[in-house]
Amino acid sequence: MKNQAMTSAAALEGQRQADLGDGTYLNPIFAGDHPDPAILRDGDDYYVTFSSFESTPGLVIWHSKDLLNWQPLGPALSTPIGCVFAVDMCKVDGRYFIYIPVIPTAVSPDPKAPVLTYVIHAENMAGPWSEPISLGIEGHIDPGHVVGEDGKRYLFLSGVSRVRLTDDGLATAGPVEHAYDGWRYPDDWVVEAYALEGPKLTRRGEYFYLTTAVGGTSGPPTGHMVTVARSRSIDGPWEDCPRNPIIRTWDAGEPWWSKGHATLFEGPNGQWWSIYHGYEKGFATLGRQTLLEPIEWDGDGWPRAGGGDLSAPLPAPLPVPVSVPAASPAPGQGHGVPLSDDFSTERFGTQWSFHSPSKDEYLRASFDDGLVLQSRGTAPSDSSPLTCIVGDKRYEITVEMEVRGDAQGGMLLYYSDRLFCGMGHDGGRMTSYRAGRAIPYWREPAPAARTMHLRIVNDNHIVTQYYSLDGIDWTRHGLRFNVEGYNTNTADELLSLRPALFASGAGEVRFRNFNYRVLDD
């Protein structure tokens, strides 16, 4: 198993890729933090996006022909509107729509407003996208769009509630009403909470299939699960699947935990699939990763998951001949994007995003023989660092930085403003960070210098740091960290541990040659 996984593809710095090149694939199809996948099929094209929370640019849209190899088109939200939860995408009358639940933050139009649902629309999935339009729906997340048998448009919402939309999909056409009570699991099951959420609707034959998530999205590994109900009418009544839940982590020994938030859809060659998220056993630090599982239909018209525990390779949606050796895709082909960056071009929204930004966060960044970040805040916690998603268990990151003025610059492994570790330097001294704060008892004897090379190695949660004046001779930092606890069950935020660059204080920091390298097993 280990050898099959490691030979999936050697391109893109050794990043994990699902396509094994022999007609099979190994989950995840999106390694790293890609939660709440929303998928749209448009002919032979497939599009997916994920919850972006407070990262900006947000809602990066990915495109694929085969469900395994995905390339980013770019972000649908270029400016922050709040904390973006699970969305849904659809195409109606030749126009594309994304329905977006937002928990207000300081950058929202009304920071004191309740949870609101917005919509954006475009003529092309690559954009440009419209400005967000509030639908006036309060207190609900996880919209799921559907066109009923009456030809009218509806949004199903957490709860499960429902609201009718106008024909153009840009406003509501009635009140929010309760629609479905949800399937109830036995009381002795170990879950986080009931939490009926994530309604997604699929029409197959004479039935509408309503897929929901219950059990809570983190906490116990056996909590989150996928349940199904069906009805001949969008108005119900809804009949629960006799085999609910159709997807669940039944035992903590399984490789994927807290599996849930699924959508059923028809893929290439008439095959059916389920796309959903889950935590990798022992690596909650990577966030909720995206999984793809085949779906079978029984004689009574009910779906059945066909992937097993997902630890073994599965037949690819579009198998390739085994006799044809898999070629390593060139950059820009295959799956994903390289994370190494010489900062010669802007890569916001494909690789980099600001965490918890202000409205004008882009104004801090410029490109002049590298990336120049104007300082913000007094420490990493309030600096709105620039972060990128990683999906590997063993990796090394390196960057060169030049500190100007009274700035402090540095590189981190960043979970949230309350939980991070790494190094900062202000030209005079180094500050070491752990558990979301400067370490008060440790002063690293790094030299005074305006230009410094930094390196962080994350080896199965064990973090070792290095610094250098020339990028050739390296000094190992005196402390090592264990970051296994930098996850949602510690910090109570649905995020992931990410490489990050920060500039705080007064001044600016120039970053050059960020390098990402996966470490071989």
Side-chain angles (χ1 to χ4, degrees), residues 146 156 160 179-184 194 196-204 206-214 225-246 262 264 297 300-303:
V146 66
F156 278 63
V160 170
Y180 170 63
D181 290 331
W183 176 81
R184 292 279 172 172
Y194 181 65
L196 179 60
E197 58 189 6
K200 300 292 183 184
L201 289 108
T202 304
R203 195 168 190 177
R204 180 179 183 268
E206 60 181 321
Y207 286 105
F208 292 92
Y209 290 85
L210 171 61
T211 307
T212 53
V214 293
M225 64 192 81
V226 178
T227 61
V228 176
R230 72 182 183 187
S231 173
R232 289 183 171 86
S233 170
I234 206 69
D235 297 317
W238 296 95
E239 174 191 9
D240 290 322
C241 177
R243 286 193 301 273
N244 274 336
I246 67 165
L264 304 180
W297 296 89
D300 294 323
W302 288 109

Side-chain angles (χ1 to χ4, degrees), residues 450-488:
R450 286 286 176 178
T451 299
M452 185 77 66
H453 298 255
L454 304 176
R455 174 173 292 161
I456 297 177
V457 176
N458 184 352
D459 188 348
N460 289 314
H461 302 311
I462 303 304
V463 171
T464 306
Q465 303 178 110
Y466 302 84
Y467 49 91
S468 170
L469 293 178
D470 58 8
I472 299 173
D473 297 318
W474 293 87
T475 299
R476 191 180 73 195
H477 191 285
L479 297 178
R480 286 189 175 94
F481 309 142
N482 186 325
V483 295
E484 185 174 5
Y486 289 40
N487 64 59
T488 183

